[in-house]
Amino acid sequence: MYKLWQILDPRGILLLIAVFLLPLGLLIHMLLLSTEDLNWWEDGRPAPLVMKAAWERADAGLPY
């Protein structure tokens, strides 16, 4: 493995990984925010009330 790092520049590889993972993470977050069920910004409920709302929906027989 050490011979591989003698051929490849570790700083370049780390930069390449960061350049790949940052847009990938942003893409995943934007895809989740674009869905109705997984959008955590516009679901209309503050974070502490999410479990209460889920219980009320389950109690009423609604999916959630």
Side-chain angles (χ1 to χ4, degrees):
M1 189 71 177
Y2 72 93
K3 289 188 179 192
L4 180 67
W5 293 118
Q6 288 177 346
I7 298 169
L8 301 173
D9 181 26
R11 289 174 294 177
I13 298 297
L14 288 174
L15 182 62
L16 181 68
I17 290 171
V19 166
F20 172 73
L21 288 180
L22 182 67
L24 180 65
L26 290 173
L27 174 70
I28 291 171
H29 278 79
M30 292 303 116
L31 286 173
L32 289 175
L33 285 172
S34 70
T35 63
E36 186 176 330
D37 290 336
L38 299 174
N39 186 351
W40 61 89
W41 281 348
E42 297 178 9
D43 62 356
R45 292 183 302 271
L49 301 179
V50 171
M51 291 304 294
K52 182 175 185 263
W55 181 84
E56 288 173 355
R57 288 183 62 85
D59 191 43
L62 298 171
Y64 188 63

